[in-house]
Every structure is written in structure tokens, then in C-alpha cells.
Amino acid sequence: MTLAQLPALQVILPLIAAPLCLLLRSGRLAWLLSILVSATALIIAVLLLRLVLENGTVIYTYGGWAAPWGIEYRVDIANAFVLAIVTSISTVVLLFSRVGASWEIKSSEQSLFYTAYLLCLTGLLGMTVTGDAFNLFVFLEISSLSSYVLIAMGPDRRGLTAAYQYLIMGTIGATFILIAVGLLYMVTGTLNMADLANLLPALEQSRTVRVAFAFLTVGIGLKLAMFPLHLWLPNAYAYAPHVVSAFLAATATKVAVYVLVRFIYDVFGSSFAFDSMPLQSILVVLGAAAVLSGSTVAIFQHNIKRMLGYSSVAQIGYMILGISLASVSGLTATLVHLLNHALMKGGLFLALACMAFQLGGTRLVDLAGAGRRMPWTSAAFVVGGLSLIGVPLTAGFVSKWLLVVAVLEAGWWPVLIVIAVGSLLAVAYIWRVIEMIYFRSATNPDEHSEETHWSLLAPVWLLIVANVYFGLHTQWSVGVAQRAAQMLFGGPG
Amino acid sequence: MIFRLLLALCILLVVLELVVHRHSTFPWEGWLGFYAVWGFISLFGVVIIGKQLRRFIKRREDYYDE
Amino acid sequence: MSSLPPGLILILGGLVLPVLPRSVQAKGALVLPVLGLLQLLFLSEGMSVDVEIAGYSLLPVRVDKLSLVFGYIFYIAAFLAALYALHVRDTTQHVAAMMYVGSAIGAVFAGDLITLFVYWEITALTSVFLIWANRSERAYRAGLRYLVIQIGSGVLLLSGILFYFHESGSLLFTQLIGPGESLVTAGPGVWLIFLAFGIKCAFPLLHNWLQDAYPQATITGAVFLSAFTTKLAVYALARGFPGTEALIGIGVVMTLFPIFFAVIENDLRKVLCYSLNNQLGFMVVGIGIGTELALNGAIAHAFVHILYKALLFMSMGAVLYRTGTIRASELGGLYRSMPWTAAFCIVGAMSISAFPLFSGFVAKSLTMSAVIEGYYVLTFIGLLVASAGVMEHSGIKIPYFAFFGRDSGIRCREAPIHMCLAMGIAAVLCIGIGCFPDLLYALLPYPVDYEPYADFGHSLTQFQLLLFAALAFAVLLRMGLYPPEQNAINLDTDWFYRRLAPNVIHSITNNLANVTDRLTATTRLAGRTLMRSVIRHYGPEGTLARTWPTGSMVLWIAVLLAASLVLYFV
């Protein structure tokens, strides 16, 4: 095995393991296989990132067919960074789900669950790693279809309608992307992204390209729950099994954001997207609206999973704002927030899952007095919440700081106010939970009221500690994101 | 008794001023008994004004608890 | 040892306290400030520790004379307060107090704005537990209001830092307004930082969190609170805004308006809060004048004020501890039961009133000379009135209504021995500094060429001012003009957010609900007429009326796609 095969292995490994899980039938064995695969994928991603950071872009061509004709996987700093995020979150969530998933998924369905999980992982990794626009659509469908299954798998029957809605939305989004890819193929005759990037500048005035761009932004906007296309997300996150919420919240939207960044900055080029097209004003307005409306709605939610879902909508708003700045510093802020938001939301959803297992629900009232009954989990939730708010010494602060510096650079004062108000609203909705956990006593203390199992606590704290770590040591995260942003702007990889 | 003692002390302090040399920067500050008079007026005024203030801002103790 | 950030001993030590058995925790809290003070003695001036985080070079520790003097007094105050709290068996309070003190000390040694901000917020987060530890609904609400305002000040500070960094490219915490500039010409960053400091320093109209929250704190918590939060703000102003003219006016107003409230306040700890506010005004004036003499005055004032204000809070706390009430209307004649506490309280009262030979005098004289030196006539007159006001509420009212006056009939025991000891040490320090001012002057950042007792005339006029004020008090009492103490509260600016804002929001939501109700009623009527025929054909009512959320989502997609297509083509 040489390092050149790593991009292919990254995707093929979980793809092959998925049907194996189905054959294994035993939930325990399927879990073992999944976590082995996920951990290996993590190692591959780390190796790839190191390779890319040292030697520049790694290209893998399938079947030896050279680029414009065959499918190629193209790994540069930007997607290697995303690969590392996705695989590490996936591994931590799997660590959690040995016990965590057994609470929620029927034992007869556990091998199915891990099959769908690995397929979803395959799709997400494939979308990230591929350099082919049509191939991207295929992986998008793989990840989407498997995530519908995952969402519907929980004990909560409302998960079925949520999955159904997500399915409608996701299908429309995928169709839009397919239409866009088709239109682009029509005018350029190529599906390879690098090739598209070379050919498109000459076709800037073409109406077909413009329509393709419109379909593409809306289609991807659906997948990343860009306001006002976010309506599917809160329900999908709220009624899915807890581990699935954690996994999807921390990875799926992140990959979609990456795809948007890739298309805007790389394939179409920032001069087309921001100079010829009024994308900037659209994104600023939608991003700001997402921050304000998502955060405000979050304050009034009774179900904390829904609250975190709306908070995700707001956080995606910050990423959109970063993209809309069309500057290296803005893009850096977005990429760093991809990592940081994955860490905080993953940690929060997992901590909430622990509470749900012990206290019997994720409604706000269920958490009354949790501070006494589950001190460690509660503390984890508080630290994660602080990170979400953007309190210094946490990862969330680093993202906000970078974004604010980038906004100041552009002199966009109103956006600054939006960010400030958004943070204050975040204080409000996190405070509601903290007040419930620490200042209210439980209404009906039942016997299952002690701290959760250590094997659940360990992954939670792994993510929470990472939040603090990346709040203090930003050299790696900001450094890599910065290089990726410079590369996407056409600088040296 | 205490009041008389205080009064005596105050008179003594003003008398002392005739004996002791004191340095003054502003001319009015050097007037005999300026500090004594100003101290008396200030406290008197503060208490009277404060008393009037009560008319506007006094509320029952459970005002905010309703 | 010397590379350890000052304050960290207390923060980490505070975190370790819960491990100790309950009976030892209070003693542990007593040892920590001593260790901290020892560490401070090893620190050499000019030392600094810099690190690089996120590409920004920070200076978490900077030791100079200004930070050292605040460091010393903070540790002394922490020791006295911990001694006073030796009987407390509440883990929360000990941990919160130690972390609060530690972060306040960390803040005065912070060399950059980010570090300052972090400690700034930790002081807010930890100190609120000293209020909540009272464990009553009222304390919880007051604590929450306090927390919101303190955190708000931190948020303003952070936004200000961001702007300031953008303007100047520097994160170093030094003088933020240059010698030739003023607040008017400064950028928004400096303004925001000024406002953040102003909230924590209880500037007029931004002050009310202090009078609202501190009286709700626990007996020992109030002693801690009185010493650190506002003095941290004074330090920050002295570091960032020395010589900012606007501060003189702000300071004068600050010395004046609380004294009127103090006259009619019934809760004696709240009277002390108004008094605290008034004292801060003197320091702010000194900082605003900004000469070496004035800054020395402000800092010396902060130093001695921490001691006598803590002493006064301790004495009132002891009264509350023994009698269970702190309402002036229910107290009186306690000197029979608590002679020692009464004596210590009088020492504190004489110090704060600035009687010669007491600590307030040697500090306040510096500021007053600076005012005279700069020919600030109006300021000088204002401060004289304020001095008489201090005499009224802290010098006379506090000891008179608690320990003398009408006998309330309450007979209780003297304060516990450790409380008396803490008050005794504070009282000795007050008198000691008053008699030997050079001890204090040696600590000040600038050389002091001032001798408070050289001119006997100065002491004489001060005696005149204070005793004639006392005479006025006696005359008012005899004439029956002095407002009687009543069981009542007085409105202050907190009315705006405790009464007005909720009422306004309530009426707005009510009206909005009415409007929406009416609107929906109208629409429903129109819709019903329209739909009646449809419903007749397509089944029971409700099926069609229900909007499928999926449908509305798809609608949004169509809208957005259409909008972007239009926009892209235009």
C-alpha cells in the first residue's frame, strides 16, 4: 500500500464495511467493525492531511483514466481538513454509541443501524474527497438516503415524519444539484471540477452557467440548512436517535458548507460568484437572518434538541457570513468554525443524550435538578454551552474572534451588531438550560438518578476538552484553515 | 449634655482658627469659619433635600415583589 | 514560583477547597491569601510574562507599582474577609470568594486587554455566588440582575477591545487615551471600554446594580464584594484613562447624588453601598485630574477605602448576624450588647469621614490638594459638600442608628471572637495608616512629596467641617427635622428595568396579541366564506385547513430559487 492510494481507501473502506455489518447480524460485532473502520478512516485522514500539508495536493485517478475523462479524487488542504473533522467526530460518536445506541435502537436493528451509519460516513467522505461533480451528486445521495434511515430509526415516532420531510427536501436539493451539474456539462462538456474551473471563466456571460449557479446554490443551501431552507433541520435533529443527532449535526452540514465553499471559490471562482453575481448580498442577508432568527427561535424551544437544532441554523449563519466576506480572513473564520462547531455541537448533543438516558427526556423540564444528579454531564454541557456562546478560553471564542476581525476588515458595521446580538441571544438560550440544571430541583426524583456510565462520559468529555484545547492552542486549527483559505483564493497550496 | 459638649467643641475650633496660621489658595477659603459654616450648611441641606426626595421615590417594601 | 500568575494560587486553591473536610475549608480560605501575599513579595517590579495565543502576543502578567499596590491591598482585604468568615460552613461561599479574589488580583496584573477581559468575567461569574449563597428568591433575582449587568459590562469590554485592536493594532493594556486626545476624539473602541469600566465603577445612572445586589449578599459575602469589583474598575480607569477630563465631572456627580439617597435609606448595608458609590466618586475625580499627586490620591484612597469599607460592612454584618435585621428602623442602642463592634464601627466611621489621624484623611488630602492645585473651584466645593455628606451617612447615621439613638430593646451577644479579631485588625490598620501615612505613601506609584500634618490649619479646617456637620445633625434631630427611619424602599434607576421595562413589554405583547387576534379573526372570516364550497366537496373541516409544513418548505425553495434567478439575471 502506498500513500497514493489513501484517497480511494478513505471512501472504499467504509463502503465495503457497510454491507459486512449487515451480514454480521450481531449488533456488538457490527459496532466493533464500524469503530475499527472509522478509526482507520481517521488515521487515513490524518495521514492525508499531513501528506497534503507537506507535499501539496494529492490526486488519485480511478482505473488510471486521466482527469477530464475518468473520475479523480483530489485532496488538498481544504478537504483534508474536513475529512479529519468528519472522521474524528464519527469515531467519537461511535465510541459513545456502544452503550448509547443500545439504549435507543432495538438490538435486532443494530446491525442495520451501523450499516446505515457507515454508508452515511461513506457518502460524507466521498462528497468531500471527490474531484468530480457528478460523483459528488452520487455520494450526496448515498449520505442523504442513509441519513433518512438513521433519523427514522429512533424510538420516537415523530422521527418518521421528520425523516419524511427531510427526504422531500433532500431530494429536491439533490435534484437541483443534479440539474446544475447537467447544465454545466451541457456548456462545458466536462464533469471534473478542476477542468470546470479552467473552462468556466470564459463562459461567464452564459445564461446556462448562471442558471446552473442558481440551482447549485439553492440545492446546496438546502443541504446545509441555509435560512430559509432550514425548516427540515430542527425536527430531523430533534426526533432522530441521540447519537444520530450528534453525528449529523457535527458532520453533515459541515460537509455541505465545504461543498458550497468548493463550488463558490474553486469551481466558479470568487470573481464570478461575487463580482458578476450578486451572491454577496444574498449570502449576507440570509446569513444575518439565520443568526438572528435561529437564535431567537432557539430561546423559545421547550425541547432542548430542537433548541440545539435552531442554534445550528444560527451557527451555519455565521459560516455563511464568513463565506460572504469573500476574503481570506472571512473564509478562514468559516473553516475554523467548521471544526469548532463540530466539536461544540457534537459535545452538546452527546451530553444531552446522557441526560436523556438518565432523566427520561430532552424537554427543558426533564433537566430540572440535573446539576445535582449528574454533575459531570452537567458540567460538560455548561462548558459546551460556553463555547457555543463564544466565551474566551473556548473554541467558540476563536471562531467568533476571527469572524469579527474579518468583518471589521471589511468595515461591515451592521454585521458586527448581528454577531453581537446573536451571541447575546445564545447567552439567553444557554442560560435557560443552566438555570434549569442548577437552580431548579427535580419535580419527580426517580431511581435512575445517578451519573451516567463512564463509557458515555468519556467521549463527551473528549469533545469538551477539545473545545477548551482548541480555544487555547489555535496554531494548528487556525494555521491549517488559513492555508486552506489562501489556497482556495488561488494562492500556493 | 452631649449636644452642649459638641457645641462647645465647635466654638473652640472656631476660636482656635484665630490663633493658628492656615494656608489658603482660594480667597473665600481663607474667611474666618468658612469650613465651619460650609460644613453646617452642607449637611443641613443634604438632609432637607433628601427628605424631600422621599416624597417622590418612597415605596412599600414589597413594591417589587408583587 | 515567581512565574506563576498572581491570583492563580487563590483560583486553584479555591478549586481544591471542596476536597477538604467542611470544618477545615474556612481555615484553608484563610491560608490562601497569606500564601498569595508571600508570592507577591517575591515578585520584582518590571517583571512580565508574555505568551503567544492565536498569533496575538499577550502579556498575562505585568508587575509594576500600580498593580502591586492593588495586589497588596486585595490580599490584605481577602485575609480580613476570610478571617471574618471563619464560622461559615458553606463550601460554595468559600470557593466563590477565593476564586473571585484570585481573578480580581489576576486582573490587576494583566498586561493585555484579553487577559483583563477573561479575569473581568471570572470576577462576575464567581462573585454572583456570594449573593446567591443567601439562598432566597429575592437574592436569586438580585443576583441574576447583577450577573446580567456584570456580564454585559464584560461584553462591552470585549467589543471595545475588538474595535480598539482594529484601530490601533495593539492589545496591550496601557493608557488608552493619549495625552493630546480626549474622549471626544477617541474611537468607538475606547468609548466601549470606557463604558464597560464605567458600569463596573458604578458611574451615575450605571450605578444601581451595586445598591441592588450587595445588600442581598450573605453577611460575609458583602464584605468580599465591597472590596474587589469596584476597586478593580478604579484600577482599570487609573491604568487606562488617567487625566481624562470627563472623569472629573462624572466623579463629582458620583460623590454627590448617593448622599441624598443614603439619608432616607433604611437598610444600613444599602446605606453603605450608597456610601461606597460616593467614595468611588472621589477616586474617579483623582483619576480625572491625572496629575501624579491626584493619581496617588485616587490610589491611596482606594487602598484605605477597602480597609474602612470592609470594616464598616463587617460591623454591620456582625449586627445582622446577631440580631437578624439590618433595618435602621428596628435597631438602636446596641452599644450595650456589642461594645466592641460599636467601637470598631466608630473607627471605620471616623476613617471614612476623614478625621485627622484616621486613614481616610491622609488619602483624601492628596486628592483635595490636587484639586486645589489645579484650581478646580466647582469640583472643590462639590467635594466639600460630599465630605459633609459622608459624615452624615457613614460617619453618623451608621453608628448612631445601629448602636445609639432610640433603644430598640434588642439584647444580644457580642460578635464572635473571629469577627472581632478581623474588625480589630482592620481598625488598627485604619488608625495606623492615619498616624503614619508614610507607610502608605511608600507603596504609591509616584513619589509623594506631601505631609498631611505639616500644616495644622488643614487639620483644623477638617475638624471644623466635620464637627459642624455633626452639629447640624444634632440640631436637625433636636428640631425634629431629621427624616425618621421607615420600613420602606426607595426607587432608584433599577426601577427602569424592574418595573418600567416589564410593564412596557407586557403591554406591547398584550396589544400585539389583540392585533393578531383581530387580524386572524378577519382573515378566518374571509377564508371561511371562500373555503366553504371547497370543504363541502373535499371532506371534513380541518383536513384542508392544515398547512403541511413540507409544502411551506417547498414553497420557500421555489421562492429562493426564483429570487436568485432573478437577481442573477438583473
Side-chain angles (χ1 to χ4, degrees):
Chain A
M1 188 183 88
T2 65
L3 292 175
Q5 259 86 37
L6 286 178
L9 276 174
Q10 180 83 83
V11 181
I12 286 179
L13 208 62
L15 184 66
I16 293 175
L20 280 179
C21 272
L22 199 58
L23 294 175
L24 282 174
R25 292 197 164 273
S26 145
R28 188 44 83 74
L29 285 177
W31 171 78
L32 198 64
L33 179 65
S34 304
I35 194 154
L36 278 176
V37 167
S38 183
T40 319
L42 174 59
I43 294 168
I44 293 173
V46 171
L47 285 176
L48 266 176
L49 187 59
R50 284 184 55 180
L51 196 66
V52 171
L53 283 174
E54 277 163 26
N55 304 341
T57 310
V58 174
I59 297 172
Y60 177 86
T61 49
Y62 267 94
W65 292 87
W69 296 281
I71 292 171
E72 71 168 2
Y73 282 2
R74 183 181 266 269
V75 183
D76 53 26
I77 300 177
N79 52 6
F81 183 62
V82 178
L83 288 176
I85 298 173
V86 172
T87 49
S88 40
I89 293 290
S90 149
T91 310
V92 175
V93 171
L94 279 171
L95 277 177
F96 184 89
S97 61
R98 183 181 74 86
V99 179
S102 61
W103 287 81
E104 288 179 292
I105 314 286
K106 275 180 263 172
S107 54
S108 57
E109 286 177 358
Q110 288 210 2
S111 57
L112 273 174
F113 170 78
Y114 288 109
T115 309
Y117 188 98
L118 284 179
L119 278 177
C120 189
L121 181 63
T122 310
L124 293 173
L125 294 175
M127 279 164 79
T128 313
V129 84
T130 187
D132 184 282
F134 182 74
N135 200 230
L136 184 135
F137 164 75
V138 173
F139 281 120
L140 177 80
E141 281 295 282
I142 293 179
S143 77
S144 301
L145 291 170
S146 48
S147 50
Y148 310 144
V149 176
L150 286 172
I151 289 169
M153 243 176 177
D156 194 329
R157 304 299 292 168
R158 285 170 296 185
L160 288 176
T161 35
Y164 165 74
Q165 282 181 343
Y166 185 23
L167 178 126
I168 303 278
M169 293 302 111
T171 311
I172 294 175
T175 315
F176 277 23
I177 293 171
L178 185 63
I179 292 171
V181 171
L183 289 172
L184 288 179
Y185 186 64
M186 202 168 91
V187 282
T188 61
T190 181
L191 289 169
N192 183 281
M193 291 191 203
D195 211 22
L196 278 171
N198 286 332
L199 294 171
L200 280 174
L203 299 164
E204 217 169 81
Q205 296 307 317
S206 154
R207 296 209 150 183
T208 321
V209 173
R210 292 182 169 214
V211 173
F213 189 65
F215 271 99
L216 202 69
T217 41
V218 175
I220 302 173
L222 258 169
K223 290 304 296 182
L224 60 78
M226 181 166 71
F227 183 88
L229 309 177
H230 64 282
L231 295 163
W232 58 267
L233 182 139
N235 278 341
Y237 285 6
Y239 304 128
H242 303 311
V243 279
V244 174
S245 306
F247 178 59
L248 290 182
T251 56
T253 45
K254 309 293 159 301
V255 171
V257 169
Y258 156 76
V259 171
L260 185 66
V261 168
R262 173 67 71 189
F263 269 101
I264 290 178
Y265 284 97
D266 200 13
V267 175
F268 283 94
S270 58
S271 68
F272 172 78
F274 293 111
D275 299 339
S276 327
M277 302 270 99
L279 186 65
Q280 190 155 43
S281 36
I282 297 180
L283 289 185
V284 174
V285 171
L286 295 184
V291 169
L292 296 179
S293 87
S295 310
T296 314
V297 175
I299 295 178
F300 297 102
Q301 294 304 311
H302 296 300
N303 184 338
I304 302 183
K305 278 178 89 181
R306 265 180 83 92
M307 181 197 94
L308 290 179
Y310 277 108
S311 142
S312 279
V313 172
Q315 299 291 320
I316 290 162
Y318 291 119
M319 297 178 206
I320 299 286
L321 284 176
I323 294 175
S324 73
L325 282 161
S327 65
V328 173
S329 47
L331 196 53
T332 308
T334 297
L335 292 175
V336 170
H337 201 44
L338 284 187
L339 169 69
N340 292 344
H341 183 241
L343 295 175
M344 58 181 92
K345 268 295 148 57
L348 282 173
F349 267 113
L350 289 185
L352 190 59
C354 294
M355 294 188 186
F357 296 149
Q358 298 298 106
L359 309 176
T362 59
R363 286 171 311 151
L364 196 55
V365 286
D366 295 325
L367 266 54
R372 290 256 162 72
R373 295 156 78 180
M374 309 176 67
W376 287 98
T377 317
S378 302
F381 194 93
V382 170
V383 178
L386 292 179
S387 187
L388 193 63
I389 294 167
V391 173
L393 307 182
T394 61
F397 175 70
V398 177
S399 316
K400 286 248 168 78
W401 174 271
L402 291 171
L403 185 60
V404 166
V405 168
V407 168
L408 277 173
E409 214 175 81
W412 290 2
W413 301 96
V415 175
L416 212 61
I417 296 170
V418 168
I419 296 172
V421 172
S423 308
L424 287 179
L425 293 172
V427 173
Y429 63 73
I430 291 298
W431 176 256
R432 285 175 71 229
V433 182
I434 292 179
E435 188 189 4
M436 191 53 84
I437 292 179
Y438 287 102
F439 295 100
R440 298 291 162 87
S441 43
T443 40
N444 53 335
D446 55 345
E447 63 260 48
H448 299 289
S449 57
E450 68 273 345
E451 187 53 88
T452 190
H453 198 257
W454 66 268
S455 71
L456 297 180
L457 214 48
V460 172
W461 273 97
L462 201 62
L463 289 175
I464 295 300
V465 167
N467 264 301
V468 178
Y469 178 83
F470 285 111
L472 294 171
H473 299 264
T474 51
Q475 228 150 12
W476 183 83
S477 56
V478 178
V480 172
Q482 207 157 24
R483 282 185 64 186
Q486 278 160 357
M487 180 215 70
L488 286 165
F489 266 91
Chain B
M1 171 67 195
I2 293 176
F3 181 71
R4 296 217 177 128
L5 208 69
L6 185 63
L7 200 65
L9 207 60
C10 285
I11 295 166
L12 178 75
L13 283 171
V14 180
V15 172
L16 258 182
E17 200 181 332
L18 298 168
V19 194
V20 175
H21 163 79
R22 76 182 175 92
H23 169 85
S24 60
T25 313
F26 307 118
W28 37 264
E29 188 205 347
W31 297 343
L32 176 69
F34 167 77
Y35 282 92
V37 174
W38 192 243
F40 190 91
I41 294 176
S42 297
L43 192 136
F44 207 91
V46 163
V47 170
I48 295 302
I49 295 174
K51 200 173 164 185
Q52 297 309 310
L53 189 65
R54 199 176 233 180
R55 284 211 217 157
F56 302 102
I57 62 170
K58 195 177 92 169
R59 291 292 182 277
R60 289 211 326 276
E61 273 187 326
D62 55 358
Y63 175 73
Y64 287 118
D65 299 334
E66 291 160 11
Chain C
M1 169 120 176
S2 59
S3 66
L4 195 70
L8 209 63
I9 292 182
L10 266 70
I11 296 180
L12 297 179
L15 287 172
V16 173
L17 283 183
V19 182
L20 302 177
R22 227 156 230 247
S23 52
V24 189
Q25 284 170 356
K27 297 189 184 79
L30 191 59
V31 173
L32 286 173
V34 177
L35 291 178
L37 192 59
L38 280 178
Q39 187 216 355
L40 215 55
L41 297 177
F42 281 105
L43 289 183
S44 51
E45 218 179 293
M47 200 198 80
S48 65
V49 178
D50 56 325
V51 293
E52 203 169 296
I53 291 178
Y56 304 106
S57 59
L58 300 180
L59 196 68
V61 180
R62 170 186 50 193
V63 184
D64 61 9
K65 281 202 116 171
L66 180 58
S67 46
L68 272 175
V69 64
F70 276 92
Y72 293 137
I73 188 59
F74 277 5
Y75 274 126
I76 294 170
F79 175 79
L80 290 177
L83 179 60
Y84 183 76
L86 208 59
H87 66 284
V88 174
R89 296 282 174 272
D90 179 2
T91 314
T92 318
Q93 283 195 59
H94 290 305
V95 175
M98 286 302 118
M99 292 183 69
Y100 170 46
V101 177
S103 51
I105 289 168
V108 298
F109 284 96
D112 68 273
L113 291 162
I114 293 289
T115 313
L116 176 76
F117 165 74
V118 171
Y119 283 124
W120 194 270
E121 291 289 45
I122 301 178
T123 58
L125 282 173
T126 48
S127 58
V128 72
F129 285 95
L130 297 174
I131 300 165
W132 282 340
N134 233 342
R135 298 193 169 82
S136 68
E137 178 69 17
R138 190 175 281 199
Y140 172 69
R141 293 187 170 278
L144 208 55
R145 288 193 293 272
Y146 168 83
L147 185 65
V148 167
I149 291 170
Q150 295 297 317
I151 296 279
S153 136
V155 172
L156 285 175
L157 178 60
L158 182 63
S159 347
I161 292 170
L162 278 164
F163 280 103
Y164 178 72
F165 175 63
H166 185 66
E167 288 158 15
S168 68
S170 160
L171 283 173
L172 217 60
F173 183 31
T174 52
Q175 193 166 347
L176 299 174
I177 294 186
E181 299 169 59
S182 73
L183 258 189
V184 184
T185 56
V190 175
W191 268 93
L192 285 167
I193 295 176
F194 186 73
L195 195 60
F197 290 176
I199 291 176
K200 220 166 183 113
C201 197
F203 279 6
L205 301 181
L206 307 175
H207 65 282
N208 198 234
W209 58 267
L210 197 159
Q211 290 85 352
D212 183 20
Y214 285 11
Q216 304 297 337
T218 60
I219 289 171
T220 53
V223 179
F224 277 104
L225 286 168
S226 75
F228 301 103
T229 300
T230 49
K231 254 59 74 190
L232 171 57
V234 166
Y235 157 80
L237 284 171
R239 172 79 72 190
F241 297 94
T244 304
E245 289 262 321
L247 286 174
I248 301 176
I250 293 173
V252 173
V253 175
M254 238 167 121
T255 57
L256 288 177
F257 86 89
I259 58 184
F260 302 108
F261 285 87
V263 172
I264 48 173
E265 181 54 55
N266 190 30
D267 181 333
L268 289 180
R269 289 204 298 173
K270 204 162 181 176
V271 172
L272 287 179
C273 291
Y274 280 113
S275 153
L276 172 53
N277 210 171
N278 146 288
Q279 292 284 301
L280 291 169
F282 284 97
M283 301 169 212
V284 171
V285 168
I287 295 167
I289 293 171
T291 58
E292 290 194 354
L293 180 62
L295 285 172
N296 272 342
I299 291 153
H301 203 157
F303 193 99
V304 297
H305 172 255
I306 287 176
L307 289 173
Y308 55 65
K309 183 58 62 164
L311 174 54
L312 287 170
F313 264 104
M314 287 195 270
S315 66
M316 286 303 108
V319 168
L320 176 58
Y321 183 67
R322 281 304 190 210
T323 67
T325 180
I326 197 63
R327 291 194 184 98
S329 51
E330 294 168 3
L331 291 170
L334 282 176
Y335 74 94
R336 296 178 187 84
S337 307
M338 306 177 79
W340 284 101
T341 310
F344 295 136
C345 180
I346 290 171
V347 172
M350 290 180 80
S351 299
I352 195 171
S353 313
F355 272 94
L357 298 181
F358 288 86
S359 60
F361 180 70
V362 302
K364 212 183 207 172
S365 297
L366 291 173
T367 316
M368 292 305 256
S369 326
V371 172
I372 293 175
E373 222 173 52
Y375 280 93
Y376 298 98
V377 180
L378 278 180
T379 308
F380 184 67
I381 293 185
L383 293 188
L384 282 185
V385 175
S387 300
V390 177
M391 181 65 187
E392 196 282 323
H393 58 69
S394 297
I396 303 173
K397 178 170 177 169
I398 292 282
Y400 181 79
F401 284 103
F403 299 108
F404 307 100
R406 178 187 54 88
D407 186 4
S408 62
I410 299 176
R411 296 291 176 270
C412 57
R413 286 191 294 150
E414 178 58 87
I417 183 79
H418 65 274
M419 285 189 174
C420 284
L421 201 59
M423 288 189 277
I425 297 174
V428 167
L429 285 172
C430 282
I431 297 172
I433 293 172
C435 295
F436 307 101
D438 291 337
L439 295 175
L440 169 63
Y441 291 170
L443 295 176
L444 297 178
Y446 303 104
V448 180
D449 176 30
Y450 182 80
E451 180 50 66
Y453 300 118
D455 175 13
F456 180 68
H458 177 47
S459 299
L460 179 67
T461 50
Q462 183 69 10
F463 267 123
Q464 284 180 348
L465 183 81
L466 295 175
L467 285 180
F468 271 86
L471 187 66
F473 181 84
V475 168
L476 282 165
L477 266 187
R478 293 202 130 204
M479 291 164 67
L481 284 175
Y482 196 85
E485 297 304 322
Q486 294 173 345
N487 284 334
I489 59 161
N490 299 306
L491 302 185
D492 201 336
T493 50
D494 57 345
W495 179 79
F496 289 99
Y497 51 86
R498 290 175 71 181
R499 251 304 152 86
L500 183 65
N503 282 356
V504 168
I505 290 169
H506 192 68
S507 72
I508 287 177
T509 37
N510 265 0
N511 287 336
L512 264 186
N514 276 342
V515 170
T516 25
D517 276 355
R518 228 168 279 163
L519 269 181
T520 27
T522 330
T523 338
R524 203 176 289 151
L525 197 70
R528 203 176 290 151
T529 341
L530 197 87
M531 291 293 274
R532 197 160 286 155
S533 60
V534 185
I535 291 165
R536 205 178 302 138
H537 290 103
Y538 289 92
E541 198 176 22
T543 330
L544 281 175
R546 196 185 304 144
T547 43
W548 285 85
T550 322
S552 68
M553 285 184 216
V554 178
L555 185 71
W556 273 113
I557 300 170
V559 168
L560 203 68
L561 182 69
S564 24
L565 278 174
V566 169
L567 279 170
Y568 291 167
F569 276 101
V570 172

